[in-house]
Amino acid sequence: MRTPFVVGNWKLHKTIAESLALVTELKNQLGAVKGVAVGVAPVFTALHAVAKRLEGSPIATCAQDCHWEASGAWTGEVSAGHIADAGGTWAIVGHSERRQFFGDTSEGVGKKARAALAAGLGAIVCVGESLAERDGGRTLAVVDEQLAGGLSGIAAASAPRLVIAYEPVWAIGTGRTATPAQAQEVHAHIRARLAEHLGADAAGAIRIQYGGSVKPSNAEALLGEPDIDGALVGGASLEASDFVAIVKAARPG
Ligand code: PGA
C-alpha cells in the first residue's frame, strides 16, 4: 500500500512571517490527520524557519529545486546538502516552470534528482506535457523522455524516497484540470515505465502525484483513481483551509 503524499508548492509566494503563519495553521489543523503524508515547499529564504516551526510535526519541509553539485563556483544555486542543512527533507526537481523559464533539461533533472537522493533528501521528479504536445498526440512520448532523463542513474532502492509528479502544463495555474480518467491513463503509463526502469516492486512502491489546478472540489475524484497517490498543489496550497481539505480528500478508504 502506498501512503498518499500531498505537497503544497508555494512557488514565489509568502514572506518568512507569512510562511510561518500558514504552517502554524497547518500544524494545528492537520495534527490528527492519519494515513496521508504532507509537505510544504516554501521559498528558499523561508525554508529554515519553516523547518524549525515544523519540528516534531509529521509535515515535511520541501525545497522547490536544488542544484546538482554539492558545492563549488555556482553563483546563485542551492545544493541538496544545504537544503538538508536548513532542515529540508525533499526537493522538487524538474517543475515545468523550471523547464519552461530556466532551461532545465531532462538530463539536468536527473542530475538534480540524483544529487537530492545522495544528500539524503527525497526527490519529487515532475513530468508533464504542454497543450501542443497533448493535442499532437505526444503526451506519452514526452512523459517517457522526461522519465528516462529524470530516472537515469537512480536505483530501485531509492523507491521510498522517490516520487513522480505528473503535471500537465496546460492544467497548471489555469483552472483547467485533467479529468480523473485523463490523469489515471498517464499515471498508469508512468507506473508501467517505472517497472521497466526500476522493477515491479519499486514501481508498486513509488508514489505518483497529480498536479495542475487541484482544488478541494476536484481532489476527491482525482485522488480516488488507483494510480494517483497524492497531489502537488500550487495555488490552492496558499490558503490553509483549501490545502487541509485537499489533504483530507487524500485519506485512504
Ligand atoms: P496549480 O500548480 O495547483 O496552481 O495549478 C501546481 C504546480 O505547479 O505544482
Side-chain angles (χ1 to χ4, degrees), residues 37-113:
V38 180
V40 293
V43 295
F44 276 124
T45 48
L47 195 92
H48 183 56
V50 164
K52 274 253 175 255
R53 181 66 56 94
L54 288 174
E55 260 170 21
S57 140
I59 302 174
T61 305
C62 313
Q64 298 176 17
D65 191 21
C66 72
H67 189 54
W68 57 76
E69 290 290 343
S71 62
W74 300 98
T75 302
E77 291 296 319
V78 177
S79 75
H82 286 106
I83 291 164
D85 182 46
T89 51
W90 288 83
I92 299 168
V93 295
H95 189 280
S96 65
E97 286 150 19
R98 303 285 330 162
R99 294 179 192 261
Q100 197 178 342
F101 303 117
F102 301 98
D104 283 21
T105 63
S106 296
E107 190 201 348
V109 172
K111 284 160 73 176
K112 290 179 174 192

Side-chain angles (χ1 to χ4, degrees), residues 134 139-140 179-190 225 228:
R134 175 161 283 263
T139 296
L140 301 181
T179 64
Q182 278 175 325
Q184 168 59 26
E185 182 197 4
V186 182
H187 281 235
H189 176 83
I190 291 171
E225 292 293 336
I228 301 186

Side-chain angles (χ1 to χ4, degrees), residues 9 11 95 97 167 171-174 211-214 232-236:
N9 172 13
K11 307 192 179 182
H95 189 280
E97 286 150 19
E167 299 204 304
I172 294 178
T174 58
S213 298
V214 177
L232 186 53
V233 187

Side-chain angles (χ1 to χ4, degrees), residues 1-251:
M1 270 309 293
R2 297 179 293 270
T3 304
F5 189 22
V6 178
V7 172
N9 172 13
W10 296 353
K11 307 192 179 182
L12 191 49
H13 294 288
K14 297 196 184 287
T15 61
I16 296 172
E18 289 163 352
S19 301
L20 290 176
L22 178 51
V23 283
T24 304
E25 270 193 76
L26 294 178
K27 231 172 120 167
N28 294 338
Q29 294 186 36
L30 290 172
V33 175
K34 298 257 180 300
V36 189
V38 180
V40 293
V43 295
F44 276 124
T45 48
L47 195 92
H48 183 56
V50 164
K52 274 253 175 255
R53 181 66 56 94
L54 288 174
E55 260 170 21
S57 140
I59 302 174
T61 305
C62 313
Q64 298 176 17
D65 191 21
C66 72
H67 189 54
W68 57 76
E69 290 290 343
S71 62
W74 300 98
T75 302
E77 291 296 319
V78 177
S79 75
H82 286 106
I83 291 164
D85 182 46
T89 51
W90 288 83
I92 299 168
V93 295
H95 189 280
S96 65
E97 286 150 19
R98 303 285 330 162
R99 294 179 192 261
Q100 197 178 342
F101 303 117
F102 301 98
D104 283 21
T105 63
S106 296
E107 190 201 348
V109 172
K111 284 160 73 176
K112 290 179 174 192
R114 291 198 297 279
L117 294 167
L121 303 178
I124 300 174
V125 178
C126 302
V127 299
E129 82 288 2
S130 67
L131 189 56
E133 288 162 345
R134 175 161 283 263
D135 288 345
R138 298 201 304 281
T139 296
L140 301 181
V142 167
V143 166
D144 284 351
E145 184 275 326
Q146 293 172 339
L147 277 179
L151 296 174
S152 131
I154 290 177
S158 298
R161 290 190 291 126
L162 184 63
V163 167
I164 308 297
Y166 169 57
E167 299 204 304
V169 178
W170 48 271
I172 294 178
T174 58
R176 187 177 160 194
T177 322
T179 64
Q182 278 175 325
Q184 168 59 26
E185 182 197 4
V186 182
H187 281 235
H189 176 83
I190 291 171
R191 202 171 304 286
R193 283 287 176 269
L194 288 173
E196 287 171 20
H197 285 286
L198 299 171
D201 287 355
I206 292 171
R207 272 100 39 105
I208 308 175
Q209 297 174 324
Y210 170 78
S213 298
V214 177
K215 307 183 270 268
S217 58
N218 59 27
E220 203 171 323
L222 285 160
L223 291 158
E225 292 293 336
D227 287 295
I228 301 186
D229 312 311
L232 186 53
V233 187
S237 69
L238 298 172
E239 289 291 334
S241 56
D242 284 350
F243 188 64
V244 165
I246 293 167
V247 170
K248 290 186 173 165
R251 270 179 304 196

